[in-house]
């Protein structure tokens, strides 16, 4: 009974005994969750349009951030370097479609998945050769991401909010809104949705597969760049960001591989829950470091009861 009380009752009592600290934890979890959701969006966009699970999305985050920092270090002003990095990500999308994906049309899914692993290794090797492996500082100030912090005083305590985190959350909301508007109201956006809803029907009405692939990989590159800027402003830019980016995998398992809504809700849910679990259960009961594995365990539990994820469509194959 004593053990049960420590596990079930004491953490909740501690949580509501200090509501200002609870708000601080929730804010930190929200910021992490928004960034997880952004990475997951890149996976979802590519999978919806091509049924390819893009293992390279994590390293695309690193490569985009390294390109931005590298071009700035070469003498380009920050916003010129940003625009040039977008150009690099577009050329990368064209190269992947022409060199890797086009020759593999109609190949089994596992072949396409292995191709994205090859893209990952190519970008890792190329990134290390071009930019080196040392940690680099993101050019946050020159891109308009403010430094400093804001302090709020609810419940007779205080909540410390980093100004850059506010900018990141606001920027993520704007980017997701723009992406949804593009997918819902533009001709190319509707083509992407049609390809995701019914691959063969979309091809039969003349939707160009190669054009859509270039577009979605470029959109995934834009998302990777924005995510790299956000994570880089918090932790610097290095290949270690790839490990953080892989946190999108449990987000996809939780929300569903085909659902943009699932990516957003799953990312925020995992960000909040892993932070709450780490602070109120992990540190006092398990010694901490639960953030490394909590999201994967949570996703596994969800998959046991709903294999397609919370927002994924149940696939029924008729034989």
């Amino acid at each position: 009974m004593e053990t049960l009380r420590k596990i079930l009752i004491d953490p909740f009592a501690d949580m509501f005994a200090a509501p200002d600290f609870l708000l601080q934890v929730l804010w930190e979890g929200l910021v992490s969750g928004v960034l997880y959701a952004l990475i997951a969006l890149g996976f979802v966009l590519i999978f919806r349009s091509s049924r390819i699970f893009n293992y390279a999305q994590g390293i695309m985050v690193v490569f985009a951030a390294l390109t931005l920092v590298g071009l700035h270090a070469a003498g380009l002003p920050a916003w010129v370097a940003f625009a040039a990095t977008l150009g690099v990500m577009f050329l990368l999308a064209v190269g992947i479609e022409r060199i890797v994906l086009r020759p593999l049309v109609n190949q089994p899914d596992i072949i396409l998945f292995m191709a994205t692993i090859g893209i990952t290794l190519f970008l890792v090797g190329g990134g290390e050769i071009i930019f080196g492996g040392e940690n680099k500082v993101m050019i946050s100030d020159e891109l308009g991401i403010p430094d400093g912090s804001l302090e709020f005083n609810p419940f007779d305590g205080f909540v410390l909010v980093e100004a850059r985190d506010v900018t990141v959350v606001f920027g993520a909301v704007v980017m997701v809104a723009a992406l949804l508007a593009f997918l819902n109201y533009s001709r190319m956006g509707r083509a992407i949705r049609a390809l995701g809803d019914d691959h063969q029907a979309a091809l039969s009405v003349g939707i160009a597969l190669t054009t859509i692939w270039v577009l979605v990989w470029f959109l995934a590159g834009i998302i990777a760049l924005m995510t790299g800027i956000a994570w880089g402003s918090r932790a610097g830019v290095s290949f270690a960001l790839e490990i953080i980016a892989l946190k999108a995998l449990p987000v996809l398992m939780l929300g569903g591989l085909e659902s943009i809504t699932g990516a957003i809700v799953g990312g925020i849910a995992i960000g909040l829950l892993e932070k709450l679990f780490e602070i109120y259960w992990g540190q006092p009961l398990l010694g901490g470091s639960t953030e490394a594995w909590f999201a994967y365990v949570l996703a596994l539990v969800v998959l046991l009861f709903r294999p397609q994820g919370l927002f994924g469509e149940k696939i029924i194959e008729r034989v």
Side-chain angles (χ1 to χ4, degrees), residues 32-67:
S32 296
V34 166
L35 294 176
Y36 296 156
L38 284 181
I39 303 171
L41 278 175
F43 285 95
V44 170
L45 276 176
I46 291 176
F47 187 82
R48 277 179 62 90
S49 64
S50 61
R51 291 299 184 268
I52 299 173
F53 183 82
N54 178 26
Y55 185 81
Q57 186 66 27
I59 194 60
M60 284 172 64
V61 172
V62 181
F63 187 81
L66 285 173
T67 301

Side-chain angles (χ1 to χ4, degrees), residues 250 253-256 295-311:
M253 290 187 283
L254 181 64
Y296 297 93
V297 174
L298 176 64
L300 177 61
V301 171
V302 171
L303 289 179
L304 291 175
F305 298 96
R306 189 173 173 83
Q308 69 271 28
L310 296 177
F311 294 87

Side-chain angles (χ1 to χ4, degrees), residues 148-204:
S149 59
L150 309 171
E151 184 176 314
F152 299 93
N153 298 285
F155 308 110
D156 297 324
F158 72 93
V159 177
L160 195 65
V161 176
E162 296 290 336
R164 70 162 177 267
D165 291 342
V166 176
T167 305
V168 165
V169 172
F170 177 77
V173 171
V174 171
M175 188 168 66
V176 170
L179 177 63
L180 291 176
F182 173 77
L183 292 175
N184 287 314
Y185 300 111
S186 72
R187 189 173 70 87
M188 293 303 294
R190 288 194 292 270
I192 292 174
R193 292 172 55 210
L195 202 60
D197 292 337
D198 193 323
H199 208 80
Q200 293 302 322
L203 294 178
S204 68

Side-chain angles (χ1 to χ4, degrees), residues 91-102:
L91 293 176
L92 179 65
V94 172
I96 289 173
E97 189 279 322
R98 294 282 178 87
I99 300 172
V100 180
L101 300 181
R102 188 177 295 186

Side-chain angles (χ1 to χ4, degrees), residues 190-231:
R190 288 194 292 270
I192 292 174
R193 292 172 55 210
L195 202 60
D197 292 337
D198 193 323
H199 208 80
Q200 293 302 322
L203 294 178
S204 68
V205 297
I207 293 176
L209 180 64
T210 56
T211 301
I212 296 300
W213 275 4
V214 170
L215 178 60
V216 294
W217 278 81
F218 179 50
L219 289 175
I222 295 174
I223 293 171
L225 174 58
M226 301 304 291
T227 308
I229 292 172
W231 274 117

Side-chain angles (χ1 to χ4, degrees), residues 36 39 58-59 61-63 65-66 124 128 132-136 228 231-232 235-247 296:
Y36 296 156
I39 303 171
I59 194 60
V61 172
V62 181
F63 187 81
L66 285 173
V124 169
E128 288 182 341
E134 67 277 3
N135 190 60
K136 296 175 176 59
W231 274 117
V237 181
S238 71
F239 285 94
L241 285 180
E242 183 185 6
I243 304 301
I244 299 174
L246 290 180
K247 190 64 72 72
Y296 297 93

